[in-house]
Amino acid sequence: MKYCAHCGAEIYDEAAICTKCGCAVDGIRSPYVNSPSNNYNTLAIVGFVLSFFSAVIGLVLSIIAYKQVKNSGERGRELAIAGIIIGAIETAIIVLYVVIIVGIYLTVLFSVVA
């Protein structure tokens, strides 16, 4: 038995592909294995940039990009995570602001009526 250089799983000596992670063994390249790319995921970049201008849209796009990067092996995982964090914080601030404004409005409304 030998071990996969990528994930460390135990594999058979005659195996060409690791059954756990799907990586090629001994330099044999399988057409079914996702190869890591040097390209950035475009959606991760767009989600990160939009998280500064439109928090909810940036948050949604960054979540989608994170899932794509995880499956495709493209670069941009850090951008997607940053977009998720920034979008989530901005969304929470907006929701808190709306709750405070509605609370103030209702307080003033009911104090004037009473």
Side-chain angles (χ1 to χ4, degrees), residues 8-77:
E10 191 173 353
I11 54 176
Y12 293 107
D13 291 329
E14 59 275 352
I17 298 173
C18 175
T19 56
K20 182 177 180 186
C21 68
C23 287
V25 178
D26 294 333
I28 300 171
R29 184 134 182 109
S30 170
Y32 304 107
V33 176
N34 287 338
S35 61
S37 174
N38 286 333
N39 298 331
Y40 277 94
N41 183 296
T42 306
L43 202 57
I45 297 170
V46 172
F48 175 72
V49 171
L50 281 179
S51 68
F52 289 103
F53 302 106
S54 178
V56 176
I57 295 172
L59 177 64
V60 170
L61 291 179
S62 294
I63 291 170
I64 294 170
Y66 181 76
K67 290 181 180 182
Q68 285 180 354
V69 167
K70 195 165 72 169
N71 293 333
S72 70
E74 290 178 304
R75 294 171 66 187
R77 179 178 178 268

